[in-house]
Amino acid sequence: MRPPLLNPLFAPVSTLPGIGPRLEKLYARLLAREDEKPRLVDLLFHFPTGFVDRRNRPKLSEVVPDTVVTVAVTVEGHRPPPPNRPRLPYNIDTADNTNTLTITYFNARRDYLEKLLPEGEVRYVSGKATLYDGHLQMVHPDRVVDEAGFATLPLIDPVYPLTEGLHPNQLRRAIEAALDRVPKTLPEWQDADWVKRNNFEDFVEALRRVHRPQTPDDIKPDNAAWSRLAYDELLAGQLALALLRAHQRTRAGRGTAAEGRLRARIIAALPYSLTPSQERAVTDIVADLAQPTRMLRLLQGDVGSGKTVVALLAAAHVIEAGRQAALMAPTEILARQHFATIAPLAEKARLRVAILTGRERGREREETLAALAAGAIDLVVGTHALFQDEVAFHDLALAIVDEQHRFGVHQRLALARKGAAVDLLVLTATPIPRTLVLTYFGDMDVSALHEKPAGRQKIDTRAIPLERLNDVIEAVARALDEGRRAYWVCPLVAESELVDLAAAEERFAALKKRFGALVDLVHGQMRGPDKDRAMARFAAGETRLLVATTVIEVGVDVPAASVMVIEHAERFGLAQLHQLRGRIGRGAERSTCLLLYKGPLGETAKARLAIMRETDDGFRIAEEDLRLRGEGDVLGTRQSGVPGFHIARLEVHGKYLTAARDDASLVLSRDPKLSSPRGEALRALLYLFARDEAIRLLGAG
Ligand code: ADP
Ligand code: MG
């Protein structure tokens, strides 16, 4: 199915020289491909966040200390540390005809250095020069090359986001090697006039420019090369959405009629009454379901705003008509949580509910599959296991996809293909600013849950410098004494090894000393069942302080948790802070959130923490987030949370969105099957940006 021309780009990174299983794991982490193998295309879409300027090439006598220089020196001699003191520095004396320079290494191997910097020869070294005891010194030069190497040394050297354990030079070499595997040209999928008007170069050239910049301008997101690639990404997204929309809207749907008896039974069993916006959402959805066109609706609401019960009531409508519904969650934890919420309500309303994830195996799984196919299950809750080929429904009427904070256009599309005329309801907890709704959702109908369920109180939020860590621990101790439950969140994904992040495990060990068996740990590297068990113990109150990396972000519901400490809060984006904080304040009790930061704070970080203290309105926070991002200080996109996009920076390339959307709808109106030459090229584009699931809709009913 994939255009063969693209095959080289979809080879695993392990096909590059020097990348074995260990490095492959690191690349999987870096490129967020933990579940599947990282591929060259993922590497190529990993863009630099800055550069080192190596153009300054002074004589040694002209070197300004503490600047990055590239100098040509003759190696005069090696001074390794004495064998009994291997921890002392390894010095290498070098000189040009104006001055001397000492190159210093720690823990380096002698044979390696003697090969790298052979005595009597000229080498080009690049790195930061410093003054030590009045002498010029360079500690661990970034680059050491000979004459031939110098000819190809990038003088504008891109800097990439890293992950722990991966050396910048390894990553650079891998990207270089991947660039060499890119086909010379690809068919142009963009409109020729549009390309000309924007001075875009072609895809391959643009990719080369960003990774092999010749000038500082080559590496700026707003230049023509980066903008071209961002536009490609935006167009792929808009095209996929347009295809989904066309699929949902233009193919025959089926109206589902029901009187609402089942719904009423569930509502009667609820221990609370619905909020006005929940009621409105249910009314909208039920009206859509009754229509003979396919529903494509988004239910947007902050964490804790009560989307699950709305989803259940929607399901009840189709079930009353004798049809089936599926609810898909992005993670195992969330799927189990939804199931736990829904099962007791379903029981009262005599609904037949089942769960299906990767963990249900053997007999149990077979039985569930058989019951689903026979129509003996009304509602199935699960993970992406739900859209495997072996899962067949008797009559799937409604697919509900809880995207939480991930954006799985892929999942939406796959579930939509599971029935003859499936209505689609997407739940999202990301309060996307109005200006950006189109980007993510295209032309979906939107229901928003604006008010928080009754009884919720504002979360008392404070920013506290890390120096007062002990006070914070004492405050947590008091809370635990009162029987409260607390999260302690640590950042774990280092953008750079140089950044000193508190590892969750270290913090856990320290807190364990203080609080003993009350403390537990969950993090992203744990196996699913272990993670679930840790969550379950916390939910049951067996443990009361849960140290967690951002895995808890994707949704757990422990209403009894009323304290959250977020360590290194200055490293998190606003959206992420908001999502994390949403894990508390879910019960009737007053909750407290302590934002522990390491000063001094930059202006943007300061503003972020101030907004967090001021408001807990997700929609307002989203607008502020966008505004602050426009002011720069953007870490990697993954870190600052623009989910679903690798290349496009919305604050820079957002201006192209309307064009991309218009372009997508024009293309489909002229060539609905993407069969023209440009259509064929656009299929390649969809593959490149992982929107290929949309292509299957072209052939599907
Ligand atoms: P979301 O999925 O939007 O994050 P949930 O659906 O998990 O939120 O609901 C969060 C909590 O609020 C659940 O414990 C749920 O029982 C409760 N809840 C939902 N709606 C209401 C309501 N109208 N009044 C009081 N509590 C509610
Ligand atoms: Mg939910």
Side-chain angles (χ1 to χ4, degrees):
M1 280 275 286
R2 180 198 303 143
L5 199 57
L6 298 183
N7 284 345
L9 293 172
F10 284 82
V13 297
S14 57
T15 60
L16 294 174
I19 299 185
R22 189 188 71 87
L23 277 179
E24 187 178 34
K25 267 213 192 87
L26 292 182
Y27 282 107
R29 171 145 42 97
L30 177 72
L31 303 170
R33 295 270 305 173
E34 266 122 338
D35 302 329
E36 295 147 291
K37 281 181 172 303
R39 307 153 308 179
L40 298 195
V41 64
D42 304 311
L43 199 54
L44 291 166
F45 289 167
H46 187 65
F47 274 24
T49 45
F51 64 92
V52 178
D53 191 341
R54 304 195 186 283
R55 290 175 300 176
N56 185 21
R57 295 179 41 205
K59 286 283 184 191
L60 288 179
S61 62
E62 303 155 351
V63 169
V64 178
D66 298 317
T67 61
V68 172
V69 294
T70 304
V71 292
V73 294
T74 306
V75 180
E76 300 194 321
H78 284 235
R79 287 186 282 127
N84 56 338
R85 319 242 342 241
R87 291 191 157 266
L88 288 184
Y90 187 124
N91 289 314
I92 300 167
D93 298 316
T94 72
D96 67 5
N97 53 13
T98 68
N99 201 354
T100 60
L101 168 76
T102 306
I103 300 176
T104 301
Y105 287 91
F106 295 91
N107 300 316
R109 288 201 331 269
R110 180 169 184 167
D111 51 345
Y112 167 75
L113 289 180
E114 283 176 344
K115 235 186 264 159
L116 188 69
L117 288 152
E119 238 174 273
E121 294 197 20
V122 172
R123 287 292 178 267
Y124 295 81
V125 298
S126 188
K128 194 194 221 180
T130 53
L131 217 47
Y132 181 75
D133 253 359
H135 295 288
L136 267 190
Q137 187 188 35
M138 192 181 287
V139 179
H140 283 263
D142 307 328
R143 302 293 198 114
V144 177
V145 290
D146 59 12
E147 193 74 48
F150 182 65
T152 58
L153 180 72
L155 294 177
I156 301 294
D157 206 357
V159 173
Y160 295 94
L162 287 171
T163 192
E164 230 177 301
L166 191 65
H167 191 277
N169 285 343
Q170 289 174 314
L171 177 59
R172 216 156 11 212
R173 269 198 300 275
I175 291 177
E176 267 304 307
L179 276 175
D180 287 337
R181 301 251 192 110
V182 177
K184 291 273 170 298
T185 56
L186 292 172
E188 179 57 83
W189 44 72
Q190 297 293 359
D191 174 65
D193 286 342
W194 172 253
V195 168
K196 211 186 271 161
R197 190 140 35 97
N198 287 283
N199 289 319
F200 285 164
E201 47 210 316
D202 82 25
F203 174 84
V204 176
E205 259 174 67
L207 204 53
R208 291 228 166 90
R209 186 177 301 279
V210 172
H211 288 297
R212 291 177 183 155
Q214 301 298 313
T215 72
D217 282 343
D218 287 344
I219 219 159
K220 292 202 177 120
D222 62 356
N223 73 19
W226 195 316
S227 296
R228 144 99 216 205
L229 298 166
Y231 187 78
D232 285 339
E233 184 171 46
L234 293 174
L235 181 63
Q238 292 301 319
L239 200 53
L241 287 168
L243 282 168
L244 175 61
R245 174 183 141 83
H247 178 78
Q248 286 295 97
R249 295 271 166 84
T250 60
R251 322 251 161 164
R254 226 173 95 189
T256 306
E259 289 168 26
R261 274 176 289 115
L262 195 51
R263 210 163 57 238
R265 226 186 290 156
I266 294 172
I267 291 175
L270 289 175
Y272 48 77
S273 48
L274 297 179
T275 65
S277 55
Q278 280 173 322
E279 279 182 15
R280 216 172 310 123
V282 172
T283 309
D284 289 347
I285 294 167
V286 166
D288 282 356
L289 292 172
Q291 292 294 317
T293 47
R294 295 191 192 188
M295 174 168 79
L296 185 54
R297 183 172 285 275
L298 177 74
L299 179 61
Q300 206 184 1
D302 236 332
V303 163
S305 59
K307 295 184 291 297
T308 310
V309 70
V310 174
L312 176 63
L313 293 169
H317 181 87
V318 301
I319 294 166
E320 185 178 328
R323 308 183 68 194
Q324 291 170 298
L327 167 57
M328 194 188 87
T331 65
E332 180 92 34
I333 293 185
L334 261 176
R336 297 203 175 274
Q337 200 147 15
H338 278 310
F339 186 67
T341 309
I342 285 172
L345 293 170
E347 196 178 328
K348 285 194 189 124
R350 289 187 293 284
L351 299 187
R352 297 163 299 177
V353 189
I355 184 160
L356 187 68
T357 73
R359 261 206 272 141
E360 275 68 41
R361 300 235 170 81
R363 262 258 305 285
E364 187 191 2
R365 182 185 188 83
E366 296 306 316
E367 281 170 12
T368 302
L369 289 177
L372 266 180
I377 288 172
D378 301 314
L379 170 62
V380 63
V381 179
T383 56
H384 56 273
L386 283 179
F387 59 72
Q388 286 161 356
D389 285 338
E390 54 176 0
V391 182
F393 291 85
H394 175 65
D395 182 15
L396 180 65
L398 173 64
I400 305 163
V401 184
D402 183 358
E403 297 191 333
Q404 201 71 15
H405 304 296
R406 305 179 179 198
F407 290 85
V409 176
H410 194 77
Q411 279 81 342
R412 291 181 215 163
L413 296 166
L415 257 191
R417 291 193 299 114
K418 279 282 176 198
V422 179
D423 284 312
L424 191 56
L425 178 66
V426 177
L427 316 183
T428 176
T430 306
I432 287 167
R434 233 170 313 117
T435 43
L436 293 182
V437 166
L438 267 184
T439 326
Y440 287 109
F441 303 112
D443 294 336
M444 296 177 82
D445 298 309
V446 178
S447 296
L449 301 183
H450 274 289
E451 65 280 77
K452 299 241 168 7
R456 296 287 160 77
Q457 302 188 33
K458 189 167 180 299
I459 297 168
D460 180 19
T461 303
R462 297 179 209 177
I464 300 174
L466 200 55
E467 290 84 60
R468 287 180 49 206
L469 178 65
N470 285 332
D471 297 348
V472 170
I473 292 177
E474 287 321 305
V476 168
R478 282 193 299 276
L480 295 182
D481 280 345
E482 291 165 16
R484 295 167 77 181
R485 257 172 271 175
Y487 293 107
W488 188 298
V489 182
C490 301
L492 198 70
V493 185
E495 285 270 309
S496 153
E497 280 183 280
L498 301 175
V499 181
D500 174 28
L501 291 176
E505 266 153 12
E506 260 173 60
R507 180 61 67 212
F508 170 64
L511 290 170
K512 188 149 183 101
K513 271 203 193 116
R514 177 78 166 75
F515 297 114
L518 283 183
V519 194
D520 207 349
L521 173 70
V522 280
H523 60 73
Q525 311 293 314
M526 280 164 66
R527 291 185 324 119
D530 293 340
K531 235 187 292 189
D532 290 359
R533 269 196 291 277
M535 290 308 314
R537 282 194 298 266
F538 183 65
E542 288 166 38
T543 57
R544 298 220 304 274
L545 175 58
L546 187 64
V547 180
T549 63
T550 36
V551 286
I552 65 160
E553 186 194 321
V554 287
V556 290
D557 189 7
V558 182
S562 61
V563 178
M564 177 174 286
V565 178
I566 303 180
E567 200 167 329
H568 281 294
E570 81 283 356
R571 299 211 170 284
F572 290 98
L574 254 186
Q576 224 180 350
L577 287 174
H578 176 65
Q579 287 158 21
L580 285 169
R581 185 175 58 180
R583 297 290 138 213
I584 56 171
R586 312 191 103 191
E589 196 176 3
R590 185 155 173 82
S591 295
T592 308
C593 178
L594 304 176
L595 304 171
L596 259 182
Y597 66 87
K598 187 163 161 36
L601 290 178
E603 285 306 309
T604 311
K606 218 182 269 175
R608 274 195 229 120
L609 298 188
I611 291 160
M612 286 299 293
R613 289 205 310 269
E614 217 171 277
T615 182
D616 59 2
D617 172 352
F619 289 91
R620 157 120 199 267
I621 286 175
E623 300 282 353
E624 295 286 348
D625 189 26
L626 191 67
R627 189 177 63 76
L628 287 176
R629 255 184 227 177
E631 289 176 4
D633 188 35
V634 183
L635 301 166
T637 46
R638 278 192 196 109
Q639 180 99 3
S640 59
V642 185
F645 289 84
H646 292 291
I647 294 174
R649 304 271 174 91
L650 294 174
E651 67 278 10
V652 180
H653 307 115
K655 62 182 179 203
Y656 293 118
L657 263 174
T658 319
R661 184 166 159 253
D662 293 348
D663 201 7
S665 71
L666 189 66
V667 163
L668 288 184
S669 70
R670 287 184 185 157
D671 181 14
K673 291 273 171 199
L674 294 183
S675 50
S676 69
R678 187 180 176 203
E680 288 289 334
L682 283 164
R683 287 171 182 241
L685 175 71
L686 289 168
Y687 267 99
L688 273 175
F689 288 98
R691 304 295 204 274
D692 46 293
E693 191 68 37
I695 295 170
R696 296 213 240 160
L697 292 177
L698 290 170

